[in-house]
Amino acid sequence: MAAAAVAPRPVRVAIAEAQGLMCAEEVVTERPLPGFDQAAIDGYAVRSVDVLGFRGSPEDEGDEDDEASADGEISLPVMGLIEAGERTPSRLQPRQAARIQTGAPMPTLADAVLPLRWTDGGGSRVRVLRGVRSGAYVRRTGDDVQPGDVAVRAGTIIGAAQVGLLAAVGRERVLVHPRPRLSVMSVGGELVDISRTPGNGQVYDVNSYALAAAGRDAGADVNRVGIVSTDPKQLRETVEGQLNRAEVILIAGAVGGAAARVCARCSASSVTWRSPGSRCTPARCRGSVNSVPTACRSFCCRPIRSARWWCSR
């Protein structure tokens, strides 16, 4: 039945509304991410060659209490503070340091960030307690994404990670496949809604609630119509009223007897019946009306120009 339904056309939506939907385009990045060399940690931007007197092993980075041996004390003047969001370029001179915040742009010539815990935290001058190698604690331009990389591929279900990546590459809107629209209704003279007390010979309408919930679980945008009269005119009007509101119409009930004949008669002018097998039991009949797949416990309608009914499980 799903294969017979007409797929809704892709639409472009804001990325905040795209979560849970399937991406319908290859999102190719136009700019690198990050867009500039930036500090990955709070500390001091330095030239690694200026702190080679302390050659701490990179494998020991988590051991704050380790003391690295040195040929002599290294103390560097601090040229100032570079904050996150700083737009004015800065330049580091040889044997200088700059206090820097996480995410701030690296000054020219600096190739590493010295973590605060490896210094004395000085303001005008900083004493180096441990050295760093070139590139340490620096996020280089394009480390995450290069121009021309595919950020999100077509067919990917957009989740929190994809929304974040789309925002990171500057995409405000994205082309997605909208949720398929499903209308669910129940047919049967014995049915009453759960808001009422069943009388003698009556039962609650369970199917429309259960099938609507199953449709939502599957990702559909569901409209539960509820209980529909078996009067041919009213039933036909109800079904036709849903044709522009749904890609799939599901009618629960009418699996045999008079109710099934009413469903068949009300759509006789637009539906032809056929059976690929030797038998078409009522519980296995499916088809389409004016292109909307319809199933009656399988009646099922779908919006296509030609209307067909077929049998399957």
Side-chain angles (χ1 to χ4, degrees), residues 38-39 41-45 80-83 98-102 104-107 113:
Q38 61 181 229
I41 192 174
D42 283 6
Y44 294 87
L81 171 65
I82 305 176
E83 297 180 325
R99 182 75 166 81
I100 194 167
Q101 295 180 350
T102 304
M106 293 288 290
V113 175

Side-chain angles (χ1 to χ4, degrees), residues 101-178:
Q101 295 180 350
T102 304
M106 293 288 290
T108 304
L109 296 186
D111 65 344
V113 175
L114 193 64
L116 287 176
R117 67 179 183 271
W118 293 352
T119 71
D120 66 351
S124 58
R125 293 190 69 87
V126 60
R127 185 161 64 92
V128 179
L129 305 179
R130 188 169 187 166
V132 289
R133 64 185 179 184
S134 179
Y137 301 107
V138 175
R139 295 183 66 218
R140 296 295 187 187
T141 302
D143 269 356
D144 295 334
V145 174
Q146 290 285 347
D149 287 351
V150 177
V152 180
R153 295 193 176 278
T156 301
I157 301 299
I158 297 177
Q162 287 73 30
V163 170
L165 185 53
L166 288 168
V169 300
R171 286 296 295 266
E172 183 181 1
R173 304 177 73 82
V174 63
L175 192 68
V176 297
H177 295 286

Side-chain angles (χ1 to χ4, degrees), residues 38 45 77 91 158 182 213 255 272 284:
Q38 61 181 229
R91 182 182 180 88
I158 297 177
L182 169 67
V255 297
T272 56
R284 298 174 61 192

Side-chain angles (χ1 to χ4, degrees), residues 18 26 32 56 71 128 157 160 171 186 206 208 244 251 260:
E26 299 277 294
D71 298 330
V128 179
I157 301 299
R171 286 296 295 266
S186 291
V206 176
S208 71
N244 292 327
I251 306 174

Side-chain angles (χ1 to χ4, degrees), residues 42 72 84 90 129 133 140 144 188 201 222 230 262 270 278 292 307 312:
D42 283 6
S90 56
L129 305 179
R133 64 185 179 184
R140 296 295 187 187
D144 295 334
V222 179
T230 55
V262 168
S270 56
S278 58
V292 184
S312 69

